[in-house]
Amino acid sequence: MSEALLVQEAGAAPLAAPASGARQFWRRLRAQRAATVAAAVVLLLFLAALAAPLLSALAGQDPDTYHPDLVDSASGGVPIGSFGGIGADHWFGVEPQTGRDLFARVVYGARVSLGVAVAATFLQVVIGVVVGLAAALGNRWVDQVLSRITDINVALPLMVIALGLLAVVPPSFPRPVLIALVIGGINWAGTSKIVRAQALTLKSLDFVSAARLGGRGRWSIARRELLPSLAAPVITYAALLFPVNITVEAALSFLGVGIKPPTPSWGQMLTEADTWYQSAPTYLLLPAGLLFVTVLALTVLGEGVRTALDPRAASRLSIGTGRKQRGERTKERAS
Amino acid sequence: MSQPSVISRRVATNAAVSLALVAGLAACAGPQDNGGGGSGGGSGASGEPQKGGTLTVLNSNPQEDFDPARLYTSGGGNVPSLVFRTLTTRNRENGAAGAEVVPDLATDLGTPSRNATVWTYTLKDGLKYEDGTAITSADIKYGIERSFAAELSGGAPYLRDWLIGGADYQGPYKDKKGLDSIEVPDEKTIVFRLNKPEGEFPYLATQTQTTPVPKAEDKGTKYEEHPVSSGPYKVVSNENDGERLVLERNPHWSAATDEERKAYPDRIDVRSGLDSAVINQRLSASQGVDAAAVTTDTNLGPAELAKVSGDKELAARVGTGHFGYTNYIAFNPKVKPFDDPKVRQAISYAVDRSSVINAAGGSSLAEPATTYLPDQKSFGHTPYDHFPAGETGNAAKARQLLKEAGHPKGLTVTLTHSNDKDFETSPEIATAIQAALKKAGITVELKGLESNDYSDTIHSASKEPGFFLAHWGADWPSGGPFLAPIFDGRQIVKDGANFNTGFLNDASVNKEIDEINKLTDLDAAAQRWGALDKRIGERALTVPLFHPVYKRLVGQDVKNVVISDWTGVLDISQAAVK
């Protein structure tokens, strides 16, 4: 998904979404079936990642042990058995050449892929909100400087810069942290632009003026009046950034500057698997399929969150309004 | 995947050091086309090979610097050898016989005198260039001299190291007088005067620098666009600096003067710049012109081999070969804890060669190594296994040695490797070693470096890590270019490229190297190299891991696949398409 599109979509979120409360949000989210399923999938993936050591132990495997006896050495190290050596001991089969257990590597890989994406998204949101708010609330000079910095940040080619940075930093620096820092540090401009635009609009609304006339300070206004209203677009944008960050991590690992072996990550597994697509297709399909499912689920969930936070969209779709939905829909179709 | 041939980069202790390094590195990235796979093994179509047709060569690396002065080859190269004849050349036979050196332009392997410091060659009769003019010994002298010019650098450093006055000679453009240590008493004779005994000079004379170059045709750096052919083919077109090279018959080449090159096809069409996966895909599909195609630089990778071995028709078209090459772990005994021989021995015992070999592509693409020298007769291979690890490592013995060395609770060490995806010094090999050493209580942290950084680091006397992956290949199939650069104490280079990574400087080893270099009986020399290797092995400065096996596909119409142990790959001068 292009960044411009993301900004546009998030920008379409309500200006002053009334602080309708978490309960209403959950009700609207739950009312969307696709989003509910997506949320369940995401939850399952996060749980699997958190419980990776437990799950591996349950399977009686670990991600790093070599099993040379499970691959056919004379044929390039292709796994012995059908579907990449899938069986009772190795639920997802074994890795070609090494015989390492793929189930263990996949669940451990989820930790890196999801962990990096969570950290990177968090960073992008924090930097974006701080810069955006400061630009909106600061004087003209501050706004000019911060907005130009944001523009430069938008223009930075993420992959190119990340490749450069990751190649320069000494290998002793923990890779997952570094990758999260790099992605988060480069790709925050979208959030900041949305926050600035929303905050500028909000600033001229009556309730903010009232607060200002009441003698409240800038930070107090930002915290008490602006931030609650900014929550909707920011959460929406974050939900859409998250899957993008997963794919960026995968792409960096695929290009060889991501997670270092033997630590598994889905992107790194994809790299290793790319030559095996003909002789051991399951090896490639596993990380590729998981990435696909994860990114799809997160995107659907992100869309669901956006809808749930947007009262106009929610009412248009008759979501969470408590009215009979069927009749409404028919009417809409008829018109 | 492609395995660009890595030829050993020998560096002497003279002024040529930095130049030689640049030359060696450039050569590795560049155009040579040995290294890669097949020996005596399978072949394409059957039946007697006939003359005619077009042989297509599908390569990843272009034939850059197609100038005999600039090429860094082992035995004269593959495609270059079709155009450039040399004083001697490699025997174009399958297997071990192919590791022998044989005469080419010269009538024999040379006559040594004065303790192998003077070598005299006589040219055959009836040798002609592509324009019909006669090849003279003065042209060979000129060809060698121009390889000393800075603008034509790229070749191996041996001529500069060995010829008297070679270290200071700047090439014929700057120094019209020429190099006095190469004498041409008449049109057929050439004499080389060396600064020390070198019994292996006939091997050196196989390199393209001994190709005759007519002085009148020399266009300096432009000569590579149309070098004057002395071989069976001449250059018809050379596009994009060797990306597309078309060769056709040289009518003045006479098979009567050339016992080595068969030259069956009428035309050779070399197309480079292709992805290695594409090359292997095209060769396996074998459609259209690809049916008469070969590659001189792309091997089958593990995944491709897995696919090929399941298909009988494809498996029959795979050539298998062995190039003299060793992948190993190297130690720097100046770095703790590797100063302690017991630690080095413990690691030698702990290594699991079966998982290392699987990581390198499995038993069809790698064979376990316990000796530093490749397991071939021409190297003088003498079997030894000083620290027997068995197939999967001896963790108990390793633990015991660590305890004796004062590390009862194990060790944590850093293994430096390259990030190249070459299945040689790459992350897969490093992780396999990491997993094996864990069983012996050694925690290995991996440090991957980018290609150039890796090469600079391991060859720098000051920056060299204590524990790293390395490999070495032969400039020619003998123990000399394998052992001397790595273990001769006088070749330790403080500033610049150092290949003696174990900093071994043992008077008795140095003396034995000098003694062997005096031998002109190559078989006798080989035996002594083998014995020396066994002796050096006791010091555990390296842990030999595996010797690669090269496997390459040929198109279905390709006949007469000959794979020598010298190059380990199909010899293009023997291939036929009819």
Side-chain angles (χ1 to χ4, degrees):
Chain A
M1 194 178 297
S2 84
E3 198 165 312
L5 190 63
L6 285 182
V7 172
Q8 208 182 11
E9 278 189 20
L15 278 185
S20 48
R23 200 178 300 161
Q24 190 182 9
F25 168 76
W26 286 120
R27 199 170 66 227
R28 286 177 180 165
L29 191 64
R30 272 206 309 274
Q32 304 171 73
R33 192 171 297 159
T36 319
V37 173
V41 170
V42 171
L43 192 72
L44 203 71
L45 287 165
F46 271 92
L47 281 178
L50 284 173
L54 199 74
L55 286 172
S56 308
L58 209 67
Q61 299 297 338
D62 72 86
D64 294 333
T65 301
Y66 279 57
H67 302 284
D69 48 318
L70 297 180
V71 296
D72 179 1
S73 188
S75 299
V78 70
I80 296 168
S82 46
F83 301 109
I86 289 182
D89 288 337
H90 300 280
W91 300 347
F92 285 0
V94 295
E95 189 180 51
Q97 292 188 264
T98 64
R100 290 183 291 195
D101 182 69
L102 280 180
F103 176 75
R105 290 189 74 72
V106 158
V107 288
Y108 271 93
R111 298 187 129 192
V112 174
S113 294
L114 298 177
V116 164
V118 167
T121 311
F122 180 75
L123 258 180
Q124 287 165 343
V125 167
V126 169
I127 299 177
V129 167
V130 169
V131 172
L133 265 185
L137 298 180
N139 59 30
R140 218 176 61 186
W141 191 78
V142 172
D143 185 21
Q144 281 291 327
V145 170
L146 288 177
S147 296
R148 290 303 81 76
I149 292 178
T150 309
D151 287 343
I152 292 170
N153 192 276
V154 169
L156 287 180
L158 170 63
M159 288 306 285
V160 178
I161 303 278
L163 280 171
L165 276 177
L166 291 168
V168 166
V169 175
S172 50
F173 198 91
R175 278 276 141 168
V177 179
L178 178 63
I179 292 171
L181 282 176
V182 167
I183 301 176
I186 295 174
N187 211 12
W188 49 261
T191 323
S192 130
K193 285 197 157 232
I194 289 166
V195 169
R196 176 178 171 275
Q198 296 283 22
L200 280 179
T201 321
L202 288 168
K203 224 166 83 172
S204 58
L205 292 184
D206 291 346
F207 71 99
V208 181
S209 304
R212 196 164 47 232
L213 289 171
R216 305 250 303 278
R218 264 186 197 157
W219 281 114
S220 164
I221 291 174
R223 206 160 46 84
R224 302 287 297 276
E225 309 297 334
L226 299 185
L227 269 184
S229 308
L230 285 170
V234 168
I235 290 174
T236 305
Y237 191 57
L240 297 172
L241 270 177
F242 191 79
V244 175
N245 289 337
I246 288 191
T247 51
V248 171
E249 185 276 319
L252 288 173
S253 291
F254 186 80
L255 293 171
V257 294
I259 304 302
K260 296 287 174 197
T263 312
S265 93
W266 293 348
Q268 192 247 344
M269 290 176 77
L270 261 186
T271 327
E272 309 264 306
D274 72 339
T275 57
W276 289 93
Y277 71 99
Q278 280 175 311
S279 25
T282 33
Y283 182 35
L284 181 71
L285 287 174
L286 262 178
L290 277 165
L291 269 173
F292 174 74
V293 167
T294 310
V295 171
L296 181 68
L298 281 163
T299 311
V300 170
L301 181 62
E303 190 60 26
V305 168
R306 193 178 76 84
T307 309
L309 284 171
D310 180 351
R312 281 176 302 188
S315 74
R316 191 170 65 242
L317 298 172
S318 304
I319 286 169
T321 51
R323 276 179 281 172
K324 288 267 185 237
Q325 293 184 16
R326 188 174 296 267
E328 290 286 322
R329 271 195 196 155
T330 332
K331 211 190 289 172
E332 215 168 335
R333 237 176 254 153
S335 61
Chain B
M1 62 161 273
S2 90
Q3 271 173 342
S5 65
V6 180
I7 289 178
S8 70
R9 290 151 244 154
R10 180 173 175 177
V11 171
T13 47
N14 62 23
V17 161
S18 56
L19 179 67
L21 173 71
V22 173
L25 293 179
C28 284
Q32 349 67 26
D33 37 46
N34 80 56
S39 147
S43 61
S46 52
E48 279 298 300
Q50 305 288 329
K51 281 197 186 307
T54 297
L55 176 69
T56 300
V57 181
L58 304 174
N59 275 356
S60 53
N61 299 316
Q63 298 285 323
E64 286 168 342
D65 304 332
F66 202 67
D67 182 319
R70 307 196 65 175
L71 291 165
Y72 195 131
T73 61
S74 176
N78 218 341
V79 174
S81 166
L82 297 173
V83 179
F84 306 128
R85 291 187 66 181
T86 41
L87 274 179
T88 60
T89 191
R90 57 184 196 274
N91 195 16
R92 315 297 167 107
E93 301 258 1
N94 277 316
E100 286 165 19
V101 55
V102 291
D104 190 359
L105 291 173
T107 52
D108 56 25
L109 294 178
T111 311
S113 59
R114 294 196 195 169
N115 218 0
T117 59
V118 177
W119 286 85
T120 305
Y121 289 87
T122 308
L123 301 191
K124 287 174 183 164
D125 292 323
L127 298 171
K128 283 177 185 160
Y129 288 114
E130 62 177 271
D131 58 2
T133 56
I135 293 170
T136 67
S137 53
D139 295 345
I140 296 178
K141 173 176 157 78
Y142 183 72
I144 294 174
E145 284 171 350
R146 63 193 288 281
S147 76
F148 283 74
E151 59 266 50
L152 296 178
S153 65
Y158 299 96
L159 286 163
R160 187 174 286 277
D161 294 351
W162 292 3
L163 286 168
I164 293 172
D168 303 316
Y169 184 56
Q170 299 294 312
Y173 310 129
K174 281 193 178 155
D175 188 348
K176 307 259 185 240
K177 204 170 122 290
L179 193 54
D180 292 338
S181 50
I182 309 175
E183 294 165 15
V184 278
D186 58 57
E187 286 203 341
K188 293 256 159 159
T189 312
I190 185 163
V191 183
F192 299 94
R193 297 186 181 278
L194 313 181
N195 53 28
K196 56 181 192 267
E198 292 292 353
E200 295 188 355
F201 192 83
Y203 281 122
L204 176 60
T206 64
Q207 299 191 340
T208 54
Q209 282 69 23
T210 69
T211 298
V213 175
K215 193 170 182 177
E217 303 289 329
D218 185 12
K219 297 185 183 70
T221 53
K222 299 262 183 211
Y223 185 68
E224 64 178 34
E225 289 164 15
H226 191 116
V228 183
S229 169
S230 48
Y233 296 92
K234 59 181 181 183
V235 177
V236 176
S237 74
N238 182 349
E239 293 166 20
N240 289 339
D241 198 11
E243 195 172 290
R244 174 107 190 263
L245 190 67
V246 179
L247 310 177
E248 279 176 10
R249 282 197 187 281
N250 167 12
H252 292 281
W253 170 78
S254 151
T257 67
D258 193 341
E259 291 171 20
E260 297 306 316
R261 297 167 184 81
K262 294 284 184 281
Y264 290 115
D266 289 336
R267 198 177 143 92
I268 313 277
D269 188 350
V270 186
R271 295 155 180 265
S272 334
L274 302 169
D275 186 74
S276 54
V278 172
I279 294 171
N280 283 323
Q281 186 59 45
R282 284 179 63 175
L283 288 174
S284 62
S286 205
Q287 299 287 313
V289 294
D290 295 346
V294 297
T295 174
T296 63
D297 71 359
T298 300
N299 296 331
L300 287 172
E304 289 155 337
L305 182 71
K307 186 190 158 217
V308 166
S309 17
D311 183 327
K312 271 192 182 159
E313 191 272 327
L314 279 181
R317 290 202 270 122
V318 174
T320 303
H322 299 79
F323 175 57
Y325 202 91
T326 305
N327 290 274
Y328 60 98
I329 295 173
F331 296 112
N332 177 355
K334 288 183 173 175
V335 176
K336 281 187 190 273
F338 309 107
D339 54 334
D340 187 342
K342 287 208 164 128
V343 171
R344 306 201 298 264
Q345 290 168 14
I347 291 173
S348 308
Y349 276 110
V351 159
D352 177 343
R353 286 193 176 81
S354 74
S355 61
V356 168
I357 280 169
N358 280 342
S363 57
S364 298
L365 295 182
E367 291 170 353
T370 59
T371 62
Y372 186 72
L373 281 181
D375 50 354
Q376 293 176 19
K377 183 174 160 277
S378 63
F379 289 89
H381 177 249
T382 306
Y384 64 85
D385 190 0
H386 295 313
F387 314 105
E391 260 186 43
T392 55
N394 186 345
K397 179 77 182 169
R399 276 179 194 275
Q400 182 205 327
L401 279 164
L402 283 181
K403 206 171 161 187
E404 288 170 22
H407 307 286
K409 287 182 181 163
L411 266 177
T412 298
V413 294
T414 303
L415 176 63
T416 303
H417 60 90
S418 81
N419 283 339
D420 289 343
K421 290 184 87 182
D422 60 1
F423 300 102
E424 293 192 18
T425 54
S426 51
E428 304 86 42
I429 310 290
T431 21
I433 290 165
Q434 183 184 45
L437 264 53
K438 196 175 160 192
K439 291 186 211 158
I442 304 170
T443 307
V444 176
E445 279 161 11
L446 299 182
K447 184 176 179 185
L449 299 176
E450 294 312 312
S451 204
N452 286 339
D453 190 14
Y454 162 77
S455 180
D456 290 347
T457 307
I458 67 166
H459 295 138
S460 152
S462 53
K463 287 191 289 182
E464 189 188 312
F467 181 39
F468 58 96
L469 294 180
H471 48 194
W472 194 256
D475 281 331
W476 53 77
S478 151
F482 231 90
L483 295 180
I486 314 291
F487 299 113
D488 185 335
R490 294 154 301 183
Q491 298 215 26
I492 295 173
V493 182
K494 284 209 180 88
D495 317 297
N498 170 52
F499 297 97
N500 186 338
T501 52
F503 298 99
L504 180 67
N505 190 2
D506 180 310
S508 72
V509 171
N510 298 351
K511 185 160 176 293
E512 177 66 1
I513 290 173
D514 288 345
E515 290 302 316
I516 305 173
N517 279 336
K518 286 182 192 159
L519 301 178
T520 52
D521 177 345
L522 297 175
D523 288 334
Q527 279 193 10
R528 296 266 290 269
W529 288 124
L532 180 63
D533 179 43
K534 187 174 178 181
R535 231 174 81 200
I536 296 173
E538 289 166 5
R539 295 169 184 260
L541 290 169
T542 64
V543 186
L545 295 173
F546 63 94
H547 306 298
V549 179
Y550 295 142
K551 287 195 180 278
R552 288 184 181 174
L553 273 169
V554 296
Q556 59 189 7
D557 292 346
V558 177
K559 294 177 194 169
N560 208 35
V561 174
V562 172
I563 300 166
S564 72
D565 278 356
W566 187 310
T567 64
V569 302
L570 163 134
D571 197 310
I572 199 168
S573 72
Q574 311 299 304
V577 295
K578 294 261 179 194

